[in-house]
Amino acid sequence: MDIDVKNLHPLEVRLLRHVDLAEQITAERIIGELDYNVGQCNQAFSWLSAKGYLVETSRETRVMYELTEFGREQQQKGTPAQRIFTFIKAEGPQALPDLASALQLEKSEIGSAFGQLSKAGFAKMNADNKAQALSEELSGEFILTAELLERGLGGELVEASMSEAEKAAMAKIAKKRGSANSPFKVIEREFITFALTEEGKCAKEAILKAHITGEELGLVTSEILSTGSWKQASFRPYGLNAPTSRLIPGRHNPYGNYLQWVKDKLCSLGFEEFDGPLVENEFWNGDALFMPQFHSARDIHDVYYVKDPVHCKEIEEPWLSQVAKTHENGWNTGSRGWRYSFDHEFTRRQVLRSQGTVLSAHQLPKAKVPGKYFGVARCFRYDQVDATHGADFYQTEGIVLGEDVNLKTLLGLLKMFAEEIAGAEEVKYVPGYFPFTEPSIEVHIKHPVLGWFELGGSGIFRPEVTKALGIDVPVLAWGLGIDRMALMHLGLNDLRELFTPNIESVRMRRGN
């Protein structure tokens, strides 16, 4: 076999010289024995596999859990549920806002953690609307969580070595790619085993025969010139037959084209476009949408907090006062509100926009009646990344205001989005829940490969939202995942293909 071993990269040469035909070759072994880093190891495997010198013999995906900084803090101080239980057991019944102040926790954390304790039967709200302990000590999942946090200090935890109870407890405190409020980060690693092929064995023999060591120099530096070490060194030959670089002309991104097409279509239907900043505050991102500050309902919008500056300077009036009163006692909306003391400090907390509906909230105070508005908003919300989910995504958000708009009008708009913009042939509408709309509707479409998935939510804004922001007519609202619509329209099977670094995939995509 005629093998041109002189053009092999030093990483390939050293690996081939190091392994034998019957041996199992893994990344862990090569990194440890040849002192390669992970990138060098993977590159060598890729090159040698492409040349037919290595062949993959097995592949295994292992799920690992790594303790985050937030998890280390919880291991030291205790989880919110543990801290609440310990505090109310020692100090007696406490109001939730008082617990947030005493324990220095966010009201949303207090609400979510107390909900866990209440559901498990360790605490309840007494007649005075205060949290009260119901047992002497915690047990079950709460103890398992503490044990997992303790074990996490020693390094990564392997899912395969965990009991079913531990897996169930871990599922509630671990998230992929980590999160600002996640004790554990989920890591999925592929463990691949390779073996040397007969061609690889021939290449190894040719390397040894040619006395190539992998230590040959490929670069002339000022250091080797000044020291004279180049005189005793061996150099890699130039690859005179290497192909020249491709010249690739620029093209429009197909997803960018699709977003512009959606905007053009909505504008042609008489909608006006709105937009807003990526960094928002809790007021517009949740409070103005009648989402209570302390309630676990906020968990559906797991936001990314801005580290600096933590708070915005001020919230516009009279909207701040009217929304605060609506939360506290319903103001003049006909509602009783949420019956808690509105936190004017929390509402100024800065976050990355977690939903496009924040643009609709901003638009209501200045909207014309009747009126039609839309926006294409980039949003950021922790989610496990897969074929239909991303940690940052686009939504098409819109509102229609008028005396005569109703649920039938909304269904017609949803039908247009599902069939004309997404291109779905099978569509269904199901009841949903959102804190700011009543009734609420989810629209689902059927993808030829992925099956049924939710396109987004919609509904009619509650009076607690519209009246507090100066509107006294029905307002239809929707927030649909335009990334998911693009899956259908562009003929894709995975959201990640919209943002792939593989330029060839982008160039071949339909619509470019």
Side-chain angles (χ1 to χ4, degrees):
M1 178 180 290
D2 187 18
I3 300 176
D4 185 10
V5 294
K6 291 184 178 180
N7 285 321
L8 289 176
H9 192 276
L11 293 175
E12 298 175 281
V13 171
R14 291 179 60 203
L15 193 151
L16 287 173
R17 288 174 60 95
H18 188 73
V19 301
D20 290 321
L21 187 63
E23 295 178 337
Q24 289 191 337
I25 307 168
T26 64
E28 292 77 10
R29 176 189 168 192
I30 298 304
I31 290 170
E33 296 176 5
L34 293 182
D35 200 28
Y36 284 11
N37 60 38
V38 175
Q40 292 172 327
C41 184
N42 290 338
Q43 192 67 75
F45 284 158
S46 176
W47 287 332
L48 291 171
S49 297
K51 293 181 175 72
Y53 297 162
L54 289 183
V55 61
E56 180 181 319
T57 57
S58 67
R59 180 184 293 256
E60 177 189 2
T61 300
R62 299 178 192 171
V63 179
M64 324 281 285
Y65 299 100
E66 181 182 88
L67 197 65
T68 65
E69 285 302 316
F70 183 76
R72 294 179 187 277
E73 180 182 341
Q74 285 202 351
Q75 192 278 326
Q76 294 175 354
K77 297 181 179 180
T79 64
Q82 290 172 318
R83 293 169 65 186
I84 290 172
F85 181 82
T86 302
F87 191 83
I88 60 178
K89 186 173 178 295
E91 303 295 332
Q94 301 286 323
L96 294 187
D98 294 338
L99 283 172
S101 177
L103 298 176
Q104 296 184 330
L105 293 171
E106 298 286 355
K107 289 185 177 180
S108 58
E109 289 182 285
I110 292 290
S112 179
F114 177 75
Q116 295 171 15
L117 290 169
S118 178
K119 184 177 180 181
F122 291 107
K124 72 171 185 177
M125 279 292 186
N126 64 18
D128 296 326
N129 206 29
K130 293 183 177 181
Q132 174 183 334
L134 294 179
S135 63
E136 288 300 315
E137 58 184 20
L138 293 174
S139 61
E141 196 171 275
F142 297 99
I143 300 302
L144 277 179
T145 299
E147 292 174 352
L148 290 171
L149 290 170
E150 182 71 26
R151 286 165 52 191
L153 292 174
E156 294 175 350
L157 305 182
V158 182
E159 185 182 63
S161 65
M162 297 167 63
S163 67
E164 291 302 318
E166 289 173 333
K167 291 178 184 178
M170 180 63 81
K172 297 180 180 180
I173 58 174
K175 297 178 180 178
K176 283 187 178 179
R177 299 190 358 178
S179 175
N181 61 346
S182 172
F184 281 94
K185 176 169 61 176
V186 182
I187 303 171
E188 292 184 353
R189 289 186 180 152
E190 281 194 329
F191 290 80
I192 307 174
T193 302
F194 294 91
L196 197 66
T197 63
E198 287 293 338
E199 291 85 353
K201 181 182 178 183
C202 294
K204 175 177 180 173
E205 293 171 351
I207 289 171
L208 296 173
K209 184 177 180 180
H211 303 290
I212 298 173
T213 65
E215 305 298 332
E216 289 78 15
L217 298 178
L219 184 67
V220 177
T221 65
S222 58
E223 181 181 356
I224 65 173
L225 288 175
S226 62
T227 60
S229 60
W230 61 272
K231 296 177 182 179
Q232 289 78 38
S234 298
F235 288 87
R236 294 175 60 202
Y238 284 102
L240 298 178
N241 296 323
T244 58
S245 301
R246 273 179 74 197
L247 294 178
I248 303 176
R251 294 187 180 183
H252 289 292
N253 183 280
Y255 187 41
N257 282 351
Y258 176 70
L259 293 177
Q260 188 59 51
W261 174 76
V262 173
K263 291 182 179 182
D264 292 343
K265 186 173 184 66
L266 289 171
C267 288
S268 70
L269 294 174
F271 284 82
E272 297 180 43
E273 185 176 4
F274 53 47
D275 201 357
L278 296 179
V279 175
E280 272 295 351
N281 48 61
E282 288 281 7
F283 177 81
W284 291 108
N285 197 66
D287 297 342
L289 297 171
F290 200 54
M291 295 174 64
Q293 295 176 328
F294 64 86
H295 200 276
S296 56
R298 292 232 182 189
D299 290 347
I300 65 174
H301 298 287
D302 193 357
V303 299
Y304 292 99
Y305 289 103
V306 176
K307 187 175 182 179
D308 185 29
V310 174
H311 296 95
C312 67
K313 292 182 178 180
E314 60 182 4
I315 307 293
E316 299 91 326
E317 291 285 7
W319 319 125
L320 173 59
S321 297
Q322 292 174 184
V323 167
K325 292 176 183 176
T326 302
H327 278 243
E328 291 177 343
N329 55 41
W331 191 48
N332 64 0
T333 63
S335 167
R336 294 187 302 166
W338 293 112
R339 300 288 181 174
Y340 72 96
S341 180
F342 189 84
D343 190 334
H344 286 256
E345 187 74 7
F346 174 84
T347 200
R348 294 172 45 242
R349 183 75 179 266
Q350 301 236 87
V351 300
L352 291 183
R353 181 172 61 204
S354 70
Q355 54 180 331
T357 317
V358 64
L359 298 181
S360 295
H362 271 298
Q363 187 66 31
L364 284 176
K366 53 189 176 185
K368 296 175 289 187
V369 181
K372 297 187 292 186
Y373 302 91
F374 84 97
V376 175
R378 188 180 182 191
C379 304
F380 304 85
R381 188 189 309 168
Y382 167 76
D383 218 331
Q384 293 189 358
V385 178
D386 57 28
T388 58
H389 296 83
D392 65 291
F393 53 94
Y394 284 93
Q395 280 186 337
T396 177
E397 172 71 25
I399 53 174
V400 176
L401 308 87
E403 294 284 356
D404 300 325
V405 300
N406 53 36
L407 191 59
K408 187 175 181 180
T409 313
L410 178 61
L411 290 173
L413 288 168
L414 296 178
K415 180 180 175 67
M416 176 197 70
F417 277 110
E419 296 182 353
E420 297 184 30
I421 295 182
E425 295 183 359
E426 296 184 64
V427 185
K428 64 182 178 181
Y429 309 96
V430 298
Y433 166 74
F434 305 102
F436 36 84
T437 55
E438 181 60 38
S440 301
I441 300 171
E442 294 178 358
V443 56
H444 295 239
I445 59 175
K446 190 172 185 180
H447 188 277
V449 174
L450 301 173
W452 287 101
F453 58 73
E454 179 190 347
L455 194 59
S458 65
I460 300 177
F461 272 148
R462 295 173 58 147
E464 293 94 333
V465 175
T466 56
K467 288 189 177 182
L469 296 176
I471 297 295
D472 199 19
V473 297
V475 179
L476 310 181
W478 67 86
L480 307 178
I482 200 167
D483 298 344
R484 295 183 177 185
M485 286 192 267
L487 285 181
M488 297 288 291
H489 186 86
L490 297 176
L492 303 177
N493 300 326
D494 195 315
L495 279 181
R496 289 164 288 195
E497 294 183 58
L498 295 173
F499 309 100
T500 175
N502 183 352
I503 192 65
E504 292 303 320
S505 175
V506 174
R507 288 173 61 80
M508 293 187 294
R509 201 174 289 154
R510 187 173 70 189
N512 61 343

